Amino acid sequence: MRVPDLRSFQHAIVRRLPAAPIEARRCALLVPSHAAAEELRRTIERSMLRGPSVAAMPDLLTRDGLYARLHERLGAPPLLSNFDREVLFRRAAREAAAAGHEPPFQVRAGLIVEMLALYDELRRRHKTVDAFERLLLDSLQDVADTDRGAERMLRQTRFLVAAFRAFDAHVSASGRLDEHGLRARALAHDGIFYTHVIIAIPDQTADRRGLWIADADLLARLPGLTRIDLIATEGLLASGFHQRVHDQLFPGIEEERESLPQDAPVLVVPDVPPGAAAPRTFLCRDREEELVDVARLLRTERPSQDPARVAVVFQRPLPYLYLARHVFADAGVPYQAADALPLAAEPFAAAVDLLFEAMAEAFTRATLIALLRSPHFRIEDGGRPLAASDIAALDRALVEWKYLGDADRLAALAERANGRHAGARPALDAALGAARELQAVAGAERASAQIAALLAWIAAHERHLRPEDPWASRHLRARGAVLAALERLREAHAAFDDEPLSVAELAGTVRRWIEGQTFSPRSGRDGVVLLDARAAAFADLDEIRLVGLVEGDWPEPSPRSIFYPSSLLTPLGWPADPERVAAARAQFLDLLRLPRRRVSVSTVTLEDDSLVSPSPLVDDIDAAGLAMERRVAGPPVRVLAHEALIEAPVASEAICGAAAEWLALRLRRTGVEARCQGQTGAREPRAYAVSHVETYLSCPFKYFAAHVLRLPEEREEQGWLTPQERGQLVHEVFRDFFAAWQASGRGAITLESVDEALALFTTLAERRLEDLPEGDRALERTFLMGSAAAPGLAERAFAFEIEQGTPVVERLLEHELSGTFTFQGEEGVREVRLRGKADRIDLLADGSLRLIDYKLGRAPDRQRALQLPIYGVCAAQALDGRHGRSWRLSSAGYVAFRERLPFVPLCGGAELPDKLDDGVRRLLDALDAIERGDFPVDPFEPYRCTWCAYPAVCRKDYVGDE
């Protein structure tokens, strides 16, 4: 039946529905998807209101539904599930490799599915394994000797052929049927399945959910079937479908034309200045803005239009189904959607994936903490639920222990968790118990036992929702789908192949299966209809908006074989890309003429922050021959709730409930309070660490987070020493060295004594290195003592010692400078309590002090340095009278191990007094600000925010130019 457009297509379907109930029960109507079946059901019901009614609905079936119904009426042996077939094919692939047909790739779960899909496509195209072998071997053997790619493909073909034949043998031996066996059984049956079939889908070339050649052969020879009606538009037939119908699907089929006068819709286009050519599409920033534009249209320009007669049509359901929840709810526009969502996106599926991730990564810190924090599982310590503080304590402890995974190492850590890590013990014991149980999953001797152990773990630790929770129903459906899949996989392995699986194989199989499944929670019963392009063809609508017309979506990408190029598969019946593109173009033009009143098209410029190109189908819009109507934009109107809040005047009536209470509170404020700008109120003076005050000067909020709120730093997991830990090691080694060197009565390090100094330094460093994990020792040994390629820290430090000429009376290492010190400020003398630790103070024979700070990297910005000036002033006061004399600061600087010179002075000798005065001034100003409670987000160098330890609590994104 040839029809001019999709509305005639729908009318032709309705006209051919059987009127008598008994005939309807023997009639099947084939549609591409369940969503299409639902829309067609609505269209039929609407047509019944306008004309003769249909006594009973026929079976609205997808292709898979047709096979399920045939099996149900056949009463044949059980069907092999997809799980069963994957397990059987895995076994067949293993046997093919063992028989000497090694594949040129590693067989993984995803490849099992692809090989099985190739086998199915061969059978659905009425091609045998023998034909596949003969054609490909003939094509590859002649060039395999000179072409490595052809030789690899030849080995691949021999492996696939062996696997296909082994699979056929296993299916026959199973006593069950697959799709191909079901076709043969149905054709040999002497009963009646259907007497009438209406086909409303094209073939596989035009639609990947369409009919295969084997399906058409089945229908043409099905016992008792007396009539087949194939309905298609003229545009689709002209794209090459007409020839394929006569040559491949139904040779000799009779043709009829049905042409009803249908008014074409109007193409709505954006308004442009007079004289300018109007674009055919609305250009939006992203997919969310496309839905916002539809909501704005319905609220402002079509307020009286029934939203249920308007559809948003997409090629790819995601992310539109997710965005619609927020955009249409924000705009107060009801919507309905029947398209399936991916099961993998459901929270329970993600929770199960945590288990596989933990096992596959050998229980690393990240996977363990994620498992303990999962709201879906209840992991307890001796029956006591874990608190969030317990898990946080374990997280910090594992970072400090440099734990990178392995349950045995976790057990070793549990044996010595005491002291300051005692708070991590409850979560550590619980994590160790969970890890041991999951290890038993991977270590089971049979695949079915592995999956059974996994199901038992989930049952033992699952946290159930309360029935009154608003998301309980959806959670239970997703949970049931995931657990049912695991149970069916267990049964398949128990029945057909119970060889144990590696964690990677088990995880890959389950993940691939979950990722391939969809989840269909219907959203709404009225309002704007969200439809994919296939289902839209069966909907009766007044207006549609085709969205997401970008390259890669429209037309839908053609499926490609990962095993062979199209040139080798074309002789086996695989379609060429031009045929698919022509069909996609025809279906697009049909969609443009579908609605009764208006159609519009939109495209986007950004996808995941990347620029995208418009679809090539945009250039075909004019081929639809539609009259155009310019959409004249009216005055701006706020239709979204967030617009009512951020644009003046604020419309309080746009929100309700708790949000309205917060809004009322905000509106009562006359200005921004000081506490919202980093003010906490006056604070009592205290003993200040000089390094902490330097932190305040770098960013007041960082000081507030670290030393007022006392928040722990967010440390990254590292398998080696952190900069802080390495700095502590370096300070300890140098302190040990200079203490031993000084205690031995040796004087300054000279060229004559430098070898002796290096030997002593090496001995003392090795003692400290013994306390490090074995993996860290070699790295830190090279860092301290150097190698043939570069000098170590010791050599650079001793080079500085050799350059100094003044004799040293005493070296003070890691010297505490704590107490009350006096400073000369602008308002006079001021006493301040400080505490600090100078890396090294040299008391020189001329009565002066030399202050040294060790730095692993480069010297800090000496214009902002605070520690050395303040330590210099404090050291002169604290050491007064030591050795019976007063001391004055003569030099200060850094032994920075990544600088070109061994010693970097704080400043020149003549500039030192001014440098000390400047440091005192900055110290006193910072203390005044701290005691006033000034802690704004004000980093001295904004780029340092990149590696700040407190990003989760900082409000830097809300701070303006002030």
Side-chain angles (χ1 to χ4, degrees):
M1 177 58 61
R2 307 169 66 119
V3 295
D5 52 41
L6 288 179
R7 271 187 282 158
S8 299
F9 173 79
Q10 297 168 7
H11 182 74
I13 292 174
V14 175
R15 281 192 56 198
R16 274 147 189 80
L17 295 179
I22 189 170
E23 294 178 358
R25 285 196 293 270
R26 291 191 174 184
C27 177
L29 175 51
L30 301 186
V31 293
S33 65
H34 294 291
E38 182 65 23
E39 290 306 317
L40 181 57
R41 189 184 305 277
R42 293 185 183 187
T43 299
I44 294 172
E45 290 170 352
R46 289 194 183 104
S47 70
M48 290 165 58
L49 298 176
R50 296 192 293 265
S53 62
V54 178
M57 284 283 185
D59 279 349
L60 297 179
L61 302 174
T62 63
R63 176 188 177 277
D64 291 341
L66 172 65
Y67 280 92
R69 191 59 55 88
L70 291 179
H71 179 263
E72 176 186 320
R73 296 186 177 184
L74 189 61
L79 279 176
L80 288 168
S81 68
N82 289 334
F83 284 111
D84 297 333
R85 301 183 78 232
E86 286 183 29
V87 169
L88 284 173
F89 201 95
R90 183 190 300 275
R91 179 181 172 186
R94 190 170 62 248
E95 292 175 354
H101 303 288
E102 281 287 341
F105 48 77
Q106 181 182 354
V107 178
R108 299 188 299 272
L111 288 177
I112 291 291
V113 177
E114 292 294 334
M115 289 186 283
L116 190 53
L118 177 62
Y119 169 84
D120 284 335
E121 188 160 358
L122 279 172
R123 298 291 303 273
R124 290 166 181 170
R125 293 190 183 280
H126 264 189
K127 295 296 186 293
T128 64
V129 175
D130 291 340
F132 170 76
E133 178 184 27
R134 183 176 59 257
L135 178 64
L136 289 181
L137 291 185
D138 289 345
S139 302
L140 296 170
Q141 279 178 334
D142 293 340
V143 293
D145 294 335
T146 58
D147 188 320
R148 293 181 59 187
E151 187 274 333
R152 178 184 175 91
M153 214 172 291
L154 187 63
R155 288 189 288 125
Q156 171 184 278
T157 302
R158 288 172 175 150
F159 164 74
L160 289 174
V161 168
F164 291 164
R165 287 174 175 154
F167 177 70
D168 281 336
H170 290 316
V171 170
S172 299
S174 71
R176 302 186 187 182
L177 297 177
D178 63 357
E179 168 195 316
H180 315 296
L182 179 61
R183 278 197 296 270
R185 184 68 65 95
L187 292 175
H189 188 62
D190 56 1
I192 297 178
F193 300 99
Y194 292 105
T195 59
H196 185 191
V197 172
I198 303 172
I199 302 175
I201 51 177
D203 64 349
Q204 273 285 320
T205 300
D207 188 338
R208 60 185 179 86
R209 296 189 183 183
L211 291 179
W212 299 88
I213 295 176
D215 302 328
D217 176 73
L218 170 67
L219 293 175
R221 298 193 291 135
L222 195 65
L225 184 60
T226 59
R227 182 180 180 88
I228 295 177
D229 287 325
L230 173 61
I231 307 174
T233 63
E234 294 281 5
L236 180 60
L237 288 168
S239 70
F241 183 43
H242 181 269
Q243 181 177 354
R244 295 193 298 274
V245 168
H246 283 283
D247 292 349
Q248 300 175 3
L249 300 180
F250 301 108
I253 193 172
E254 299 176 3
E255 293 189 20
E256 294 182 12
R257 277 187 171 84
E258 181 169 297
S259 180
L260 296 176
Q262 304 285 354
D263 294 332
V266 172
L267 176 66
V268 181
V269 298
D271 190 26
V272 294
R280 302 304 188 253
T281 64
F282 291 88
L283 183 63
C284 300
R285 182 187 68 247
D286 53 29
R287 297 180 191 268
E288 181 176 3
E289 192 173 278
E290 287 183 299
L291 297 185
V292 169
D293 191 54
V294 173
R296 197 179 302 280
L297 175 73
L298 292 174
R299 290 289 304 275
T300 59
E301 301 178 34
R302 314 263 201 276
S304 60
Q305 183 169 0
D306 180 7
R309 302 286 298 164
V310 179
V312 175
V313 179
F314 37 74
Q315 187 75 271
R316 183 160 55 93
L318 299 184
Y320 293 104
L321 296 182
Y322 290 132
L323 292 173
R325 300 179 188 176
H326 308 290
V327 172
F328 288 142
D330 199 16
V333 175
Y335 78 96
Q336 51 185 316
D339 287 278
L341 296 173
L343 181 60
E346 293 302 306
F348 187 81
V352 172
D353 193 63
L354 278 178
L355 304 180
F356 290 116
E357 190 174 359
M359 290 187 289
E361 297 187 12
F363 309 103
T364 59
R365 178 187 68 88
T367 57
L368 275 179
I369 297 301
L371 192 58
L372 293 178
R373 286 177 173 164
S374 172
H376 296 277
F377 299 123
R378 184 182 63 254
I379 302 175
E380 301 176 341
D381 172 37
R384 183 183 74 85
L386 295 178
S389 58
D390 297 330
I391 302 173
L394 175 61
D395 193 19
R396 291 193 297 271
L398 293 178
V399 170
E400 293 184 18
W401 289 331
K402 304 191 186 309
Y403 171 75
L404 298 179
D406 188 4
D408 292 336
R409 173 157 165 73
L410 194 66
L413 294 175
E415 294 178 359
R416 56 186 180 90
N418 49 36
R420 67 192 187 94
H421 295 306
R425 189 58 186 259
L428 180 57
D429 290 341
L432 180 59
R436 292 299 193 201
E437 293 172 3
L438 289 174
Q439 272 189 318
V441 172
E445 296 182 353
R446 302 185 310 278
S448 60
Q450 291 175 307
I451 302 171
L454 180 65
L455 288 167
W457 194 98
I458 295 173
H461 296 281
E462 184 182 2
R463 180 180 283 118
H464 297 281
L465 292 180
R466 296 171 299 178
E468 61 270 20
D469 288 334
W471 56 87
S473 174
R474 178 170 179 163
H475 167 79
L476 290 175
R477 290 185 60 195
R479 172 186 177 274
V482 173
L483 295 184
L486 287 171
E487 185 62 37
R488 290 166 64 191
L489 181 61
R490 183 195 66 79
E491 293 173 354
H493 276 287
F496 302 114
D497 184 23
D498 221 5
E499 289 291 321
L501 302 174
S502 67
V503 172
E505 289 176 321
L506 179 60
T509 299
V510 176
R511 282 173 174 164
R512 191 220 55 79
W513 176 256
I514 290 177
E515 289 169 1
Q517 300 307 298
T518 54
F519 178 71
S520 303
R522 184 170 183 91
S523 302
R525 292 293 176 183
D526 55 12
V528 179
V529 186
L530 271 63
L531 291 173
D532 66 85
R534 294 183 183 87
F538 297 86
D540 182 15
L541 300 163
D542 288 342
E543 182 169 354
I544 65 171
R545 165 68 70 90
L546 302 178
V547 296
L549 250 80
V550 296
E551 192 173 13
D553 280 9
W554 298 78
E556 190 177 27
S558 300
R560 294 186 178 276
S561 171
I562 66 172
F563 297 109
Y564 298 100
S566 57
S567 59
L568 288 178
L569 294 176
T570 299
L572 287 167
W574 264 249
D577 283 345
E579 294 179 294
R580 295 185 183 276
V581 173
R585 181 177 289 112
Q587 290 168 319
F588 173 71
L589 294 177
D590 285 340
L591 277 178
L592 289 176
R593 302 180 63 85
L594 168 66
R596 296 178 180 273
R597 297 181 182 177
R598 301 179 190 88
V599 62
S600 56
V601 180
S602 67
T603 184
V604 298
T605 58
L606 290 176
E607 179 77 86
D608 294 331
D609 296 329
S610 299
L611 291 174
V612 292
S613 301
S615 165
L617 295 180
V618 170
D619 297 332
D620 295 328
I621 293 178
D622 287 341
L626 302 179
M628 288 189 291
E629 172 187 302
R630 297 196 178 191
R631 176 184 172 188
V632 180
V637 178
R638 293 181 290 180
V639 299
L640 303 176
H642 73 267
E643 294 174 335
L645 299 180
I646 65 176
E647 297 178 10
V650 174
S652 304
E653 64 275 9
I655 58 176
C656 58
E661 298 175 8
W662 278 102
L663 178 60
L665 175 64
R666 296 288 295 271
L667 292 177
R668 286 199 297 269
R669 294 177 178 169
T670 56
V672 180
E673 300 179 13
R675 61 177 178 167
C676 297
Q677 293 182 321
Q679 300 290 327
T680 65
R683 299 177 57 80
E684 292 293 327
R686 47 175 293 188
Y688 297 98
V690 180
S691 61
H692 294 177
V693 180
E694 199 170 60
T695 299
Y696 182 89
L697 293 176
S698 67
C699 179
F701 181 81
K702 186 175 181 179
Y703 174 92
F704 176 72
H707 307 300
V708 177
L709 297 181
R710 301 179 185 275
L711 298 177
E713 292 187 2
E714 297 183 21
R715 294 175 53 183
E716 293 185 1
E717 184 177 22
Q718 293 184 355
W720 53 89
L721 296 186
T722 64
Q724 294 84 356
E725 292 167 337
R726 175 175 283 177
Q728 182 179 356
L729 172 67
V730 169
H731 283 85
E732 290 174 349
V733 172
F734 276 101
R735 181 191 61 198
D736 294 347
F737 167 77
F738 281 112
W741 185 265
Q742 189 166 278
S744 67
R746 299 180 178 92
I749 299 175
T750 64
L751 287 173
E752 292 75 18
S753 62
V754 67
D755 290 339
E756 187 179 355
L758 286 171
L760 177 60
F761 183 90
T762 301
T763 301
L764 297 174
E766 289 291 350
R767 293 177 185 175
R768 289 287 180 179
L769 293 174
E770 289 177 358
D771 297 332
L772 299 181
E774 185 176 353
D776 293 333
R777 292 176 195 166
L779 177 63
E780 300 307 322
R781 183 180 292 109
T782 302
F783 185 74
L784 289 170
M785 275 82 81
S787 66
L793 269 61
E795 293 182 48
R796 292 185 61 84
F798 296 159
F800 160 71
E801 296 291 333
I802 293 171
E803 291 176 359
Q804 308 308 308
T806 307
V808 177
V809 175
E810 183 182 9
R811 290 185 180 88
L812 302 177
L813 307 169
E814 301 288 327
H815 187 72
E816 295 279 352
L817 294 172
S818 300
T820 301
F821 301 92
T822 59
F823 298 94
Q824 182 65 45
E826 295 179 357
E827 299 178 358
V829 177
R830 179 173 171 182
E831 293 186 346
V832 178
R833 287 186 296 152
L834 294 177
R835 54 188 174 86
K837 182 183 290 186
D839 290 350
R840 175 178 159 190
I841 302 174
D842 289 347
L843 304 182
L844 305 180
D846 61 0
S848 64
L849 299 176
R850 182 169 61 215
L851 190 61
I852 298 172
D853 192 12
Y854 291 106
K855 295 296 182 185
L856 295 181
R858 298 189 178 277
D861 183 354
R862 284 164 283 170
Q863 297 300 319
R864 296 192 300 109
L866 186 65
Q867 291 188 55
L868 282 184
I870 300 306
Y871 286 164
V873 174
C874 294
Q877 297 179 29
L879 298 174
D880 186 39
R882 195 179 185 96
H883 296 292
R885 61 195 302 180
S886 297
W887 302 92
R888 59 179 174 79
L889 184 67
S890 62
S891 66
Y894 303 94
V895 174
F897 298 107
R898 291 191 179 177
E899 294 285 358
R900 183 175 59 84
L901 299 175
F903 181 72
V904 180
L906 179 65
C907 60
E911 302 171 358
L912 188 57
D914 293 337
K915 193 67 176 179
L916 298 183
D917 291 341
D918 177 67
V920 169
R921 177 187 58 78
R922 290 187 292 116
L923 171 73
L924 298 180
D925 290 346
L927 295 182
D928 290 339
I930 291 173
E931 291 170 4
R932 287 195 307 268
D934 294 347
F935 302 108
V937 177
D938 186 20
F940 183 84
E941 296 172 329
Y943 74 86
R944 292 184 178 272
C945 294
T946 305
W947 57 80
C948 177
Y950 304 99
V953 295
C954 181
R955 294 175 59 83
K956 62 181 181 296
D957 295 334
Y958 301 91
V959 177
D961 295 336
E962 70 277 7

